Every structure is written in C-alpha cells, then in structure tokens.
Amino acid sequence: MDRRTFLTAAGTGAAALSLGAVTAPAAVAAPTDPRLLKTWFRDTYRSIEAMTTDFGLVTDKIDLSGPGAPVQSTQTSPTNIGCGLWSTVAAAGLGVIRESTMIRALTRTVAAVEKLERHHGFWLNWYDAHDGSVLTQWPGTGDPVRPFLSSVDNAWLVTGLRIAADAAPALRPRIDRILATADWSYFYTPYDPADPVAGPGQLRGGVWTDTDEPTPHHYGALNTEPRMASYLGIADGSLPTDHYWHMLRTMLPEHEQEQKPGGGYVTVDGVRVWNGHYTHCGRKVVPTWGGSMFEALMVPLFVPEQQWSPRAWGVTHHRYVRGQIDHGLREAEYGYWGFSPSNVPEDGYQEYGVDALGMAVDGY
C-alpha cells in the first residue's frame, strides 16, 4: 500500500473497526465559553514557562510546597520536552505569546535537544533538565537509574519536534538532522504467522541500553497512546503498513480480559483482524488498556483520526467520552468525569481510569 494513502485506507477499511452509527445523548451540555478555555490554557502555559530551565528543557514537575519561590525538579523526559515544544506553538497560535517569543523558545529547546545523548537515534528516559546530562541516579534518593529508551516517550518528543519544524521553518533543517537517525524499526518485532506470540508485528515498550535488552512486553492494544509511535513509523517508512492491523482492538475472545468481547474476524489488506469491541452503557466501544482518557484521546490531539475515519475512530472516540461521563456522573456519582493517570498532591504518580473501558482485568 502507498504510505501516503495508508491512513485514509485505514479509515476506508473501517469495517475492521466500524461500530455503527453514533447515537446522540439525550441531553447535551452547552458548549464551554471559549474565553474560559483560553484562560485555562493561559494559566497552564504559565506553568510550562515556570518549569522551563535556562538550558531550555521543561522539567518533570515543580515544587510549590515551600515558603519561597517554586522549585523546578532536576529530571525531565522526552515526553516533557515534547510537551514544552507543542505547548509553545499552541501558545503562539492562541495569541498567548508573540510569534517572536515562540521562535526564541523553540530555538532554545532545539539547541538543548541537539546536545542530549542519544542511542539508535532516540532519547533516554531521564535527563537533567538544567544541563542535559543523562541521569544515572534519581534526584533526592540516589537510586540508580538504568538507561532506557521508551518507544512511546520518544514518540511524543518526535511529535513535538515535527510540530516545531512546521511552526518555525527556519528550524526545519536542524530538526531534520536530529530525526534522520530515528528508525522505529529498532523497537519493532516483525509479524511471524507461525508464532504470532513471539512475533506479533508490534512495538516493544523499549530497550535498556546498558544491556541492549528489550522489554518482554509489546504495545498490543490499538486504542492507547503508543499508537503515536506506530503512526510516526508508518508515515516515515520505517514500519510496515500492516503493523496497524496487527494491533488489538480487544484481546482475542479466548483470552482473559475485562469483559468478553463481541465481534468477529475480518480480513483487511490481507491481514486477518479480530474486529472486537466491548459494550458499555449499551454502546459498542473499542477499549483502551486501563480505561483512561489519556490513552484514547492523546493521539487525536495531533492526528485527526475522527476526520480520516469517521465511522471507526470518530465513533469510538465519541462513545469513549460518553462512557467516561456516564461512569463519573451516573454510575459512580463522583460529580466529575475524565479519568487519567496523574501526579497526586501527596507526591507520586497514580493511574486512574474506568475499569469497564479498559482491557486489563484489574484496570486502573
């Protein structure tokens, strides 16, 4: 298949994911005032600016608990850096900062990224945001940090760099040079029809570079954020197009999972695909792994899946959000909805989601 038409074909091949017509909810909330949304964004971007070091990288967090000025953390990751890049472009697009301010910020970050140690064209999971050195000990505890290349975290940095190149064309040659050696096949295990467990045609979670040891797991679930790496690799030609069809809409019906899926087998582009779905609140939906909003909706912030594939991604994104709303407001009666992994005020990181919308038996 022509790679330029891959994603369109993925949409027209929507029989492999089609879930039927969208049913409008009985009551639809009034649209949020765009001025309020812009206020939220402006406040969020102020935190991004406060977390950006003089070196040009966004830190992982900022400590507001002390009596003095906020304290930036030592560590940063590829995802943090990518978020800083696309947030800066968005800030200029919304008029929160001037274009000249955007150019200066992007240039500083790209210069910092050029200095970061890489392996196989990709970035390690943790750096010192203040000087770009690789973290070998965790700040505050001294625990050793093994050097690790994460496929999904690298996807977010590559996404941020591509957005920066589009927003600031003068930076494109430098960004192209940075990305020239990023080959997604490094994370890929080719499909082996004789042994699809060992050769699933999927991306591994990552590789520890001190031993060149890959993770034992692959990212198998389609409706999760690692599909961003899949899109990037298919688009640049380093991954085969049939990789898309080897990711799972649900686990196979004979495997243990959150609920027994409905559906059946279809053949798309010569690949036999289990066209599975879950049912939640009477709606067919393609689940994520843990039932979180982030897994389902991070990718369509950058890839217009719902436009390219309205009968497939368009339907499931809509129903997934309705499922989050129904769970938060009606089933659990929390009074709020939209659950994703996040940092918590007590310090640390916890995973949140809606069990019924995720494949994992214990959910998030």
Side-chain angles (χ1 to χ4, degrees):
M1 183 191 302
D2 186 332
R3 295 181 191 280
R4 290 175 298 177
T5 62
F6 162 73
L7 289 173
T8 300
T12 56
L17 198 61
S18 180
L19 297 171
V22 176
T23 302
V28 179
T32 302
D33 186 338
R35 293 172 297 180
L36 178 59
L37 294 176
K38 189 171 181 179
T39 297
W40 290 345
F41 176 84
R42 183 182 292 109
D43 290 346
T44 300
Y45 188 68
R46 284 178 59 200
S47 72
I48 296 291
E49 290 181 310
M51 295 167 70
T52 302
T53 66
D54 292 339
F55 186 65
L57 302 180
V58 176
T59 59
D60 189 53
K61 60 181 70 174
I62 193 167
D63 185 357
L64 305 175
S65 62
V71 178
Q72 297 170 334
S73 68
T74 299
Q75 73 274 13
T76 191
S77 70
T79 295
N80 293 326
I81 300 167
C83 179
L85 288 166
W86 69 60
S87 296
T88 298
V89 173
L94 291 171
V96 173
I97 61 174
R98 296 177 182 273
E99 183 176 353
S100 58
T101 303
M102 177 195 76
I103 297 295
R104 286 195 300 272
L106 295 179
T107 301
R108 182 175 61 166
T109 299
V110 168
V113 170
E114 288 173 326
K115 298 180 177 72
L116 299 180
E117 179 181 324
R118 288 188 287 159
H119 295 256
H120 301 278
F122 294 105
W123 291 269
L124 296 164
N125 244 26
W126 296 109
Y127 297 91
D128 187 318
H130 301 265
D131 62 15
S133 59
V134 175
L135 286 186
T136 58
Q137 294 182 322
W138 194 251
T141 68
D143 292 338
V145 177
R146 285 187 71 188
F148 182 73
L149 300 176
S150 162
S151 56
V152 64
D153 284 279
N154 271 282
W156 296 125
L157 179 47
V158 172
T159 298
L161 287 167
R162 290 193 177 279
I163 290 171
D166 285 342
L171 291 174
R172 184 179 296 279
R174 293 171 65 178
I175 291 172
D176 285 346
R177 285 193 294 272
I178 292 172
L179 298 179
T181 56
D183 183 345
W184 295 99
S185 67
Y186 176 67
F187 298 107
Y188 178 68
T189 301
Y191 182 69
D192 181 358
D195 189 355
V197 174
Q202 298 166 358
L203 295 177
R204 289 194 181 271
V207 178
W208 285 278
T209 60
D210 54 349
T211 59
D212 279 334
E213 175 191 359
T215 58
H217 72 277
H218 291 82
Y219 284 128
L222 173 66
N223 194 13
T224 56
E225 75 278 10
R227 72 181 180 276
M228 193 69 201
S230 300
Y231 284 147
L232 290 166
I234 292 170
D236 70 18
S238 59
L239 294 177
T241 56
D242 65 1
H243 161 56
Y244 182 85
W245 302 116
H246 290 302
M247 290 185 284
L248 303 174
R249 281 72 186 153
T250 69
M251 294 186 197
L252 300 182
E254 62 267 25
H255 294 162
E256 184 182 17
Q257 53 192 297
E258 179 64 25
Q259 67 171 262
K260 185 174 178 61
Y265 283 97
V266 295
T267 299
V268 186
D269 296 334
V271 179
R272 189 168 183 255
V273 179
W274 168 248
N275 182 26
H277 64 264
Y278 282 3
T279 300
H280 179 249
C281 295
R283 293 181 290 266
K284 297 177 182 178
V285 64
V286 175
T288 59
W289 176 250
S292 71
M293 288 279 279
F294 175 80
E295 296 170 282
L297 299 182
M298 186 68 184
V299 172
L301 290 177
F302 306 100
V303 179
E305 295 172 317
Q306 63 275 22
Q307 297 173 25
W308 291 345
S309 183
R311 293 193 302 116
W313 283 118
V315 173
T316 207
H317 289 333
H318 176 93
R319 292 180 178 175
Y320 197 89
V321 173
R322 290 303 312 172
Q324 290 271 339
I325 294 171
D326 285 344
H327 177 75
L329 301 186
R330 298 181 179 89
E331 293 178 334
E333 297 183 345
Y334 290 132
Y336 48 83
W337 60 274
F339 304 95
S340 289
S342 66
N343 287 328
V344 294
E346 296 79 10
D347 198 21
Y349 181 84
Q350 292 186 15
E351 295 167 321
Y352 300 92
V354 177
D355 279 355
L357 293 174
M359 297 186 212
V361 174
D362 52 358
Y364 282 169

